[in-house]
Amino acid sequence: MKHNQMPPGSYGLPILGETLAFLFDKNFIEKRYRRYGSIFKTHLIGRPTVVMVGSKAVEFVLSSHMENFSWREGWPDTFKALLGESLFLQDGEEHRRNRRLMMPALHGPALTNYVSTMEEITRKYLQKWEAKQEFTWFDEFKQLTFDIASQLLLGASPGEDCAILSKLFTTLTNGLITINPLPLPFTKYGKAIAARNQILERLTQIVRQRQQNPSKDALSLLIQAKDEDGNSLSEKELIAQAVLLLFAGHETTTSMLTWLCLELARHPKVYQRAREEQLQLASQGDLTLEQLGQMPYLEQILLEVERCHQPVNGGFRGVIKDFEFNGFHVPAGWQLLYSILMTHRLEEIYLEPERFDPDRFSPQRQEHKKYPFSLIGFGGGPRVCIGIAFAKMEMKIIAAHLLRSYHWEILPNQSLDALLVPTNRPQDGLRVKFQPL
Ligand code: HEM
């Protein structure tokens, strides 16, 4: 009966559509999901858009019908200009080749080599925080994760250059989603374009240095990587992928680490249990790769932080082939948004979804295993986040050190409300009092 029927929903205002509500109303998707269900239409960033919510819908987009969708056609033009010809915006054969070339730099033995550097940089920051005693964790994590990303992904040495690059990336990120994509010197987008140009200049120098003196960093591995026909990435491709890895590699991790520390401070029993797990391991010796695999409770906590505070709220796609879902028809040419945020809050998947409860991931409960594609903070399917193992290892190392030796309290007079754009964070960045134990 519903054949060829368009999904329910409203396009909003002419031209603007519902973009303003989408950017500024935190409950934009929830309100429409409650009214229309797991597929509805709207109009965002200049295009008719279908929003899809829930495990079945997400499996459809990320896996079973992924050939109907394009990444390149999905993300707003600002992304294309700012993130260039990188994996994030590639499709088909080009994407497959590049992903295969990039995988070894972020998995397996390469990752094992990264542990000691991650620890070394973390220790430096712990000392700095001990001396400072009070600070804003979002800002500090941003520097820490950027230092880790630039050393391990680019082979850059820490110092002033890293700090400048980190600031340039913040400016770039602020221009990704904007209602005013005019490249003027005073708009966020204009500033982001200028930052990108400076980033490209610096990365060109770094790529050239690394071509001459390869080391153990991801960029050196990428320079040496060859596809089945013996071809490697061109200099232009290498630079584009390096920009993407640095961008994707630190903003998201910063967001999750900040929320992790906030939830640990808010839930003393969770903090205590996680600390006991760490002290038990610490009694057997210093942190090792093997120990990183023996922290089931910390893993549960990280899954719950991923669920409650997804750093990425959803993913855009371009519809390149008409499709039907739940009896509704969506034509090619539309934009699609799958919602990570709302899928993580569905009562049909998670018991009391608003509650922070790491035990929902205990071996007995495993709420995310009831349906596939229920926990999708890193996306899913063949194009799941390529940095998932890198990010999880980094977060565990930092969390393990914090839990073994430190305690922190949330300072008064600050807003802890979630700010979702450009990256999910507590509004004032989480100001804390930090003490060794
Ligand atoms: C907590 C940390 C992270 C989170 C939550 C996260 C989240 C995500 C998500 C949700 C996607 C899929 C987006 C979509 O379906 O549209 C994705 C893709 C991607 N991520 Fe991550 N990410 C994290 C860390 C990293 C790191 C450390 C790197 C690199 C070192 C990275 C590189 C990428 C890349 C290159 C893609 C595109 C993969 C492809 O299309 O084949 N991410 N990430």
Side-chain angles (χ1 to χ4, degrees):
M1 193 180 68
K2 286 196 223 156
H3 193 64
N4 267 350
Q5 189 177 331
M6 301 294 263
S10 133
Y11 292 129
L13 298 170
I15 304 172
L16 264 180
E18 298 192 303
T19 310
L20 289 179
F22 172 68
L23 288 179
F24 299 112
D25 178 359
K26 262 194 285 195
N27 302 319
F28 176 87
I29 293 185
E30 180 167 359
K31 283 180 194 159
R32 285 158 183 77
Y33 169 78
R34 303 254 174 250
R35 192 156 162 203
Y36 305 121
S38 58
I39 175 165
F40 58 86
K41 67 172 184 278
T42 171
H43 201 279
L44 301 179
I45 325 173
R47 290 168 70 183
T49 304
V50 60
V51 179
M52 293 179 67
V53 176
S55 330
K56 257 173 59 193
V58 173
E59 181 169 18
F60 187 95
V61 177
L62 295 186
S63 178
S64 63
H65 290 71
M66 65 182 292
E67 70 286 351
N68 289 51
F69 308 112
S70 152
W71 281 56
R72 179 154 189 83
E73 300 305 323
W75 293 93
D77 288 343
T78 46
F79 273 69
K80 288 178 202 146
L82 292 171
L83 294 179
E85 289 292 324
S86 60
L87 199 66
F88 205 66
L89 293 160
Q90 290 172 330
D91 285 312
E93 186 49 34
E94 187 182 34
H95 172 266
R96 196 193 61 86
R97 168 183 178 259
N98 280 280
R99 183 157 172 131
R100 279 176 67 154
L101 285 171
M102 289 165 77
M103 280 293 277
L106 294 163
H107 293 86
L111 217 53
T112 314
N113 279 331
Y114 299 157
V115 178
S116 56
T117 309
M118 284 183 178
E119 263 208 284
E120 218 174 90
I121 301 175
T122 304
R123 282 185 204 280
K124 225 180 60 194
Y125 274 81
L126 292 170
Q127 279 169 10
K128 173 178 156 195
W129 297 340
E130 259 188 59
K132 271 190 155 178
Q133 292 177 23
E134 289 187 8
F135 52 83
T136 303
W137 232 331
F138 185 82
D139 300 342
E140 292 292 328
F141 278 140
K142 201 136 159 186
Q143 288 179 36
L144 165 58
T145 57
F146 195 80
D147 272 7
I148 291 180
S150 50
Q151 275 190 62
L152 291 178
L153 303 176
L154 295 184
S157 28
E160 215 177 300
D161 249 20
C162 265
I164 297 172
L165 257 183
S166 164
K167 287 214 173 76
L168 291 171
F169 268 98
T170 303
T171 313
L172 183 144
T173 308
N174 289 339
L176 280 174
I177 296 199
T178 168
I179 39 171
N180 183 6
L182 286 176
L184 300 171
F186 53 85
T187 61
K188 277 190 181 171
Y189 181 59
K191 289 180 187 157
I193 290 278
R196 172 177 159 83
N197 291 338
Q198 289 186 51
I199 291 170
L200 286 184
E201 249 173 58
R202 279 164 199 270
L203 288 195
T204 306
Q205 284 168 12
I206 295 179
V207 166
R208 291 191 179 149
Q209 282 163 9
R210 225 43 84 240
Q211 278 169 326
Q212 271 155 22
N213 294 311
S215 165
K216 280 192 169 165
D217 51 86
L219 179 59
S220 299
L221 294 177
L222 274 185
I223 288 171
Q224 292 158 35
K226 292 203 186 324
D227 65 16
E228 8 339 4
D229 302 323
N231 300 316
S232 38
L233 292 169
S234 67
E235 183 176 285
K236 201 164 155 235
E237 284 176 313
L238 284 167
I239 295 167
Q241 304 297 12
V243 173
L244 172 67
L245 288 182
L246 274 189
F247 159 75
H250 83 294
E251 293 276 355
T252 44
T253 322
T254 296
S255 159
M256 243 182 98
L257 283 165
T258 308
W259 285 112
L260 168 73
C261 291
L262 175 55
E263 294 295 8
L264 287 171
R266 264 184 187 159
H267 298 91
K269 284 192 185 139
V270 175
Y271 167 87
Q272 201 48 42
R273 210 172 127 193
R275 179 166 152 77
E276 275 156 25
E277 179 178 78
Q278 288 304 324
L279 293 183
Q280 179 73 27
L281 289 168
S283 68
Q284 298 158 23
D286 280 349
L287 197 59
T288 57
L289 188 64
E290 202 196 343
Q291 281 199 2
L292 287 175
Q294 298 168 346
M295 304 174 179
Y297 190 58
L298 179 56
E299 274 165 29
Q300 282 178 220
I301 298 173
L302 286 168
L303 293 178
E304 185 63 339
V305 175
E306 172 190 341
R307 187 189 73 83
C308 296
H309 304 289
Q310 69 301 318
V312 180
N313 300 312
F316 282 105
R317 297 291 184 274
V319 179
I320 49 174
K321 268 193 242 161
D322 293 17
F323 73 91
E324 305 260 328
F325 182 80
N326 272 5
F328 294 111
H329 180 83
V330 180
W334 277 38
Q335 178 170 254
L336 179 148
L337 174 67
Y338 77 88
S339 176
I340 297 175
L341 183 151
M342 194 60 218
T343 301
H344 285 178
R345 282 161 185 74
L346 295 180
E347 285 100 356
E348 66 201 45
I349 306 175
Y350 296 108
L351 191 71
E352 295 181 76
E354 293 311 318
R355 239 182 71 181
F356 182 81
D357 176 13
D359 274 334
R360 65 175 81 248
F361 298 108
S362 67
Q364 300 77 27
R365 285 174 58 191
Q366 298 273 296
E367 292 183 0
H368 61 313
K369 295 275 172 75
K370 205 161 35 167
Y371 313 106
F373 295 85
S374 293
L375 188 69
I376 46 167
F378 291 87
R383 289 189 73 159
V384 67
C385 173
I386 201 173
I388 182 170
F390 184 97
K392 288 195 168 182
M393 191 166 100
E394 176 178 352
M395 291 189 292
K396 266 190 181 172
I397 290 175
I398 296 170
H401 277 283
L402 285 171
L403 287 162
R404 284 176 190 203
S405 313
Y406 298 94
H407 185 263
W408 54 95
E409 280 161 40
I410 303 173
L411 288 169
N413 305 322
Q414 62 175 318
S415 166
L416 301 175
D417 290 350
L419 193 73
L420 295 179
V421 179
T423 29
N424 187 350
R425 75 190 71 173
Q427 193 148 357
D428 289 335
L430 186 61
R431 284 187 288 110
V432 290
K433 186 168 155 67
F434 184 79
Q435 285 164 322
L437 279 166

